[in-house]
Amino acid sequence: WEPSDEGTKLIAWYKNKTGITLNGSDVSQWDDSSDNSYNMAQTFASKQPEYIDSTGALRFVPADVQSLQTGSDIELSGNFTIGIKLYPNASNIVVLGDNTMNNEFFKITTTTNLRFKTDGSTADLATDSGSLVGDNYLVVTRNASDLITLYLNGVAQADTETLAGTANIDAIGVRNPETNPYSGDISEIQIYDTETTALTANVNAYLAGL
């Protein structure tokens, strides 16, 4: 299985070691490997994350507010599945967000809490026991009943929340206005506008293999 097997349900795919444009050892653009061209770029050299050649990860330094941004919003109004392979080294940091619109983000607020905020409303997803800081892969899903579920390293966490609204994403590593910058590595991001048991299993298995 590959994310591209999902056809038009694959909205954006920032694939490990793929579609990377380098400015020296830093990343000026990470191309979307889906058919939708939501390429993430950064024109300011000081804000470009470092490329780690051995793992294909992008390393973000929060002091420099390093981030990547696309020119048009990814909009998730209904079901969605988002999978991320990452190694954050701090909390109170944004993984995905919107840097042109307020109150749209996925943020690691503490070592045991992931916050999803959209349209001014908030869903806080607590982990059962594991830490969100460290070498992890996360999958976040929303089903037809607006139920949000967090999977940490392939395991569904008990704390689920309900939150409707259109999730807007145009940035990796920051939210509007240039706030809560990410700290650590991000290796891959997959975004789908659907949610199924099979897809969740496939995304978890794929990220586990990176």
Side-chain angles (χ1 to χ4, degrees), residues 2-200:
E2 287 259 324
S4 53
D5 293 343
E6 301 301 319
T8 59
K9 295 300 183 181
L10 177 63
I11 302 303
W13 182 14
Y14 305 102
K15 186 177 181 181
N16 183 241
K17 300 181 179 179
T18 302
I20 301 291
T21 300
L22 291 176
N23 174 25
S25 61
D26 298 331
V27 177
S28 61
Q29 185 160 310
W30 196 0
D31 287 345
D32 176 10
S33 288
S34 81
D35 293 331
N36 296 316
S37 299
Y38 288 112
N39 301 326
M40 292 281 183
Q42 179 57 259
T43 57
F44 296 100
S46 65
K47 294 186 176 184
Q48 294 171 354
E50 179 186 2
Y51 185 67
I52 308 303
D53 190 65
S54 59
T55 63
L58 280 63
R59 180 162 294 166
F60 295 77
V61 176
D64 296 327
V65 196
Q66 292 178 345
S67 63
L68 299 172
Q69 191 163 330
T70 186
S72 55
D73 275 17
I74 298 168
E75 298 182 350
L76 304 170
S77 58
N79 299 13
F80 64 70
T81 301
I82 297 175
I84 308 169
K85 172 64 177 174
L86 73 176
Y87 198 138
N89 57 26
S91 58
N92 196 35
I93 55 173
V94 167
V95 182
L96 292 172
D98 197 297
N99 202 23
T100 54
M101 185 182 299
N102 290 332
N103 298 315
E104 300 284 338
F105 56 80
F106 293 83
K107 182 170 71 169
I108 297 172
T109 58
T110 71
T111 59
T112 58
N113 189 82
L114 179 72
R115 175 168 294 170
F116 167 47
K117 192 161 189 176
T118 186
D119 298 345
S121 297
T122 301
D124 280 326
L125 300 158
T127 65
D128 295 343
S129 59
S131 176
L132 294 169
V133 174
D135 188 8
N136 295 312
Y137 58 96
L138 308 178
V139 175
V140 183
T141 65
R142 179 166 69 182
N143 69 13
S145 300
D146 296 321
L147 184 72
I148 313 293
T149 302
L150 168 65
Y151 296 78
L152 174 59
N153 298 328
V155 179
Q157 304 300 287
D159 181 21
T160 58
E161 302 292 333
T162 301
L163 184 60
T166 299
N168 293 83
I169 299 167
D170 73 2
I172 299 172
V174 78
R175 69 179 179 93
N176 194 50
E178 299 281 309
T179 303
N180 302 128
Y182 183 79
S183 180
D185 295 0
I186 297 178
S187 298
E188 173 143 332
I189 301 171
Q190 303 172 15
I191 302 174
Y192 307 83
D193 67 354
T194 187
E195 179 275 337
T196 67
T197 300
L199 176 60
T200 300

